Amino acid sequence: MLTSLQNPLVKQLRKLHSAKERREQGVFIIEGTHLLQEACRVKYPLATVCCTPQWQSRNQLLWQQASQQAQRGEIVSEEVLQAIATTVNPDGVVATAPRCLERSQVPCNGLTLALENVQDPGNVGTIIRTAMAAGASGLWLSANSVDIYNPKVLRATAGQWFRLPIAISPDLRATVSKCQQAGMQVIATQADAPLTYWEVDWQRPSLILLGNEGAGLSADLVAQSNLRVRIPQNAEVESLNVAIAAALLLYEAQRQKRFSTAQ
């Protein structure tokens, strides 16, 4: 059992709290029982799994599965687990996994999202979870958005991070052009847009553009869109949370598709 905070593995895992270290090491943290279950369920490759003896005794089947799926499994003390975890009260298990999102293929059809410079990990994680729940085909994230491997992003997705196709776009304008060439309508969200989101034909293949929490979408992306839409709101409210905006648009699209199918 690992008990020393000076152990080389422990030092390496503690460094993964930093986005820079996650990039340089090429791995990220999967923290908590639920996220580990989801990773094992989809057979996401694991590098290391560390757990306390108490967690192992309560989760023997999951420990066995994760250990077989990982390159290395270690029993660690409560102190070591607390040191490598990113949460204040970890539930007893922390794993690491290689950055593999480059394997993801976000299709240029169906209903997809593209996030430009979205910085809050809770917002991005909530959008991923909502997109999966609403039946979206995938999500693009601009390179200047929050690190998609941020532990807070993963936790906010409630495990859907491992299921929704996600890709980092080095050039979001080029990605938008690619989707348009494939026949998708590109819809930009803007407070003063001429159309409400209820007036859009969401049965068409659609790419939703969502921008930074404070600045919104860049002028270039707005100009590139096919439609600009707004979400009606009280004049005294400046804007909606980006994750809430995403949910409203996604579920309007789902409502229209279900209504059409039912007829």
Side-chain angles (χ1 to χ4, degrees):
M1 182 168 71
L2 297 182
T3 59
S4 173
L5 299 183
Q6 302 307 312
N7 180 278
L9 175 64
V10 176
K11 288 183 176 181
Q12 175 192 353
L13 297 184
R14 294 181 75 176
K15 290 180 179 179
L16 294 177
H17 294 196
S18 157
K20 178 183 176 184
E21 284 290 336
R22 290 193 292 271
R23 286 192 299 269
E24 292 182 355
Q25 293 189 36
V27 293
F28 65 100
I29 292 175
I30 297 171
E31 186 172 344
T33 304
H34 180 61
L35 284 179
L36 183 60
Q37 286 173 332
E38 291 300 318
C40 288
R41 191 167 286 130
V42 301
K43 301 191 183 307
Y44 195 96
L46 301 175
T48 306
V49 182
C50 298
C51 74
T52 63
Q54 294 85 354
W55 185 91
Q56 183 195 35
S57 66
R58 296 193 305 267
N59 300 274
Q60 292 185 8
L61 290 177
L62 180 57
W63 168 251
Q64 183 179 18
Q65 184 179 2
S67 298
Q68 292 173 349
Q69 203 165 308
Q71 299 171 14
R72 179 176 180 178
E74 294 285 353
I75 307 298
V76 302
S77 66
E78 292 277 359
E79 183 183 15
V80 166
L81 198 285
Q82 184 75 48
I84 61 179
T86 64
T87 52
V88 177
N89 297 303
D91 73 355
V93 65
V94 173
T96 64
R99 296 163 60 106
C100 294
L101 282 186
E102 61 271 12
R103 304 180 314 169
S104 295
Q105 296 295 319
V106 177
C108 288
N109 56 50
L111 179 64
T112 61
L113 301 100
L115 309 185
E116 181 190 33
N117 193 24
V118 178
Q119 296 298 314
D120 185 88
N123 282 337
V124 172
T126 300
I127 290 170
I128 291 170
R129 181 178 184 179
T130 306
M132 190 67 193
S137 303
L139 178 143
W140 293 96
L141 196 71
S142 67
N144 62 346
S145 291
V146 67
D147 178 23
I148 196 66
Y149 298 97
N150 185 307
K152 292 180 181 178
V153 172
L154 269 79
R155 290 198 301 274
T157 70
Q160 301 311 312
W161 189 96
F162 297 103
R163 299 179 180 278
L164 184 74
I166 304 168
I168 310 302
S169 171
D171 183 344
L172 205 51
R173 292 188 65 190
T175 298
V176 170
S177 293
K178 176 184 174 183
C179 291
Q180 287 174 317
Q181 290 166 12
M184 299 186 77
Q185 62 178 351
V186 175
I187 299 168
T189 50
Q190 199 173 37
D192 60 351
L195 296 175
T196 67
Y197 74 106
W198 298 313
E199 297 174 273
V200 174
D201 179 7
W202 290 103
Q203 295 181 65
R204 293 183 55 192
S206 303
L207 173 66
I208 299 171
L209 303 180
L210 295 164
N212 176 267
E213 291 89 346
L217 284 167
S218 66
D220 287 345
L221 273 186
V222 172
Q224 196 176 353
S225 66
N226 301 109
L227 294 173
R228 293 185 296 121
V229 302
R230 71 182 189 278
I231 298 171
Q233 57 194 44
N234 190 307
E236 295 178 359
V237 179
E238 183 179 348
S239 63
L240 286 176
N241 172 275
V242 66
I244 297 295
L248 289 169
L249 272 60
L250 287 166
Y251 274 94
E252 172 60 15
Q254 186 186 86
R255 185 195 67 82
Q256 288 189 18
K257 289 176 182 176
R258 289 193 175 187
F259 180 77
S260 174
T261 303
Q263 286 185 323

